[in-house]
Amino acid sequence: MRIAIDLDGVIFDTERYFRVASEIEDVNNFGLNNKINNNELKFQERYKWSSKFCDDFYSKNVFKIEKTAGFIPGAIKVLKMLKELGNELYIISARGIFSEKQIDISNELLKNNDIDIFKKKIYKAENKRKYVISNKIDVIIDDNLQICKDLKNICKTIYFKDAPNYENTDKDIKTVYNWGEIYRYFKEKNTK
Ligand SMILES: [Mg+2]
């Protein structure tokens, strides 16, 4: 099976670090009543921030967080197990759109943690659909519910939800809360 995995919030624990940093930034700059919706995945949509403020916040934090956030618990272990089960692993991530340096950081972290086991690493994927189609992906794993909704008609979709993000009510999209549940999902598929 060809499995495509998102990086931020699925393999790397960056989204939670961004949540911490954005909360502190918001409170310190705008007080306690500036949040719009805590379920939003993107900080740009969680607060009443100007686009300039968002850009400054992002560029101030992005490299530090991407370098130090580390891996989501179980990601390394289960990715290796999925590969051993005979699956082909792909990364499809928007990382790198802001800066090429993000790609170097990602490749280095994967290499240094002995998890550079992917058939292909697709960065700067603004539109994931075309890569899912061209690489004949069977399953995608993403923490962005909208991306799961957009792709559910062309492949199986697993919504990785380990934060306040939106609840999934769509029966065609599988929700998991940790990498152990991802392992269970693929073991069940293999035995059917
Ligand atoms: Mg993500």
Side-chain angles (χ1 to χ4, degrees):
M1 206 175 282
R2 295 180 174 191
I3 309 169
I5 306 117
D6 176 38
L7 280 180
D8 291 296
V10 182
I11 291 180
F12 293 127
D13 207 1
T14 41
E15 296 294 356
R16 286 199 290 185
Y17 278 85
F18 264 111
R19 277 190 181 264
V20 174
S22 63
E23 283 292 291
I24 293 168
E25 190 82 0
D26 189 56
V27 170
N28 284 349
N29 285 278
F30 304 107
L32 298 175
N33 299 304
N34 196 52
K35 189 141 69 173
I36 301 168
N37 187 343
N38 206 36
N39 290 333
E40 293 290 353
L41 177 64
K42 295 182 173 160
F43 66 81
Q44 291 93 332
E45 280 145 30
R46 283 202 295 273
Y47 310 96
K48 282 178 254 172
W49 290 1
S50 71
S51 56
K52 162 118 181 37
F53 195 87
C54 287
D55 291 349
D56 290 348
F57 169 77
Y58 187 73
S59 43
K60 193 168 71 181
N61 287 281
V62 61
F63 298 131
K64 192 172 60 188
I65 288 179
E66 288 183 356
K67 268 188 201 157
T68 59
F71 289 79
I72 300 271
I76 293 177
K77 188 184 177 92
V78 173
L79 281 167
K80 285 181 178 168
M81 291 164 109
L82 293 180
K83 181 144 190 205
E84 271 165 31
L85 285 172
N87 298 294
E88 284 182 349
L89 307 179
Y90 292 71
I91 282 172
I92 303 184
S93 168
R95 259 197 197 197
I97 291 173
F98 174 71
S99 162
E100 290 286 327
K101 193 175 158 187
Q102 294 178 282
I103 298 173
D104 297 339
I105 291 171
S106 313
N107 286 336
E108 206 166 306
L109 281 167
L110 294 171
K111 199 167 145 229
N112 292 346
N113 287 278
D114 206 20
I115 192 67
D116 200 354
I117 57 170
F118 299 90
K119 169 135 177 138
K120 208 189 269 187
K121 289 175 286 188
I122 300 160
Y123 292 104
K124 302 197 230 180
E126 212 159 3
N127 168 11
K128 295 196 178 186
R129 171 175 278 265
K130 72 174 181 191
Y131 299 108
V132 166
I133 293 170
S134 62
N135 290 285
K136 299 189 172 64
I137 298 298
D138 298 300
V139 186
I140 64 122
I141 308 170
D142 209 295
D143 65 331
N144 185 323
L145 184 56
Q146 192 54 51
I147 288 176
C148 293
K149 285 180 181 172
D150 292 345
L151 298 176
K152 69 171 191 172
N153 293 325
I154 53 170
C155 65
K156 295 252 182 274
T157 51
I158 299 179
Y159 174 43
F160 192 92
K161 181 186 187 307
D162 70 344
N165 306 336
Y166 287 108
E167 293 294 338
N168 167 41
T169 54
D170 189 329
K171 288 190 177 61
D172 293 334
I173 299 169
K174 170 80 178 169
T175 304
V176 298
Y177 299 92
N178 61 67
W179 273 92
E181 292 179 23
I182 292 175
Y183 182 63
R184 176 183 293 272
Y185 174 88
F186 285 101
K187 285 296 272 191
E188 278 171 358
K189 279 226 158 299
N190 276 18
T191 53
K192 266 176 199 162

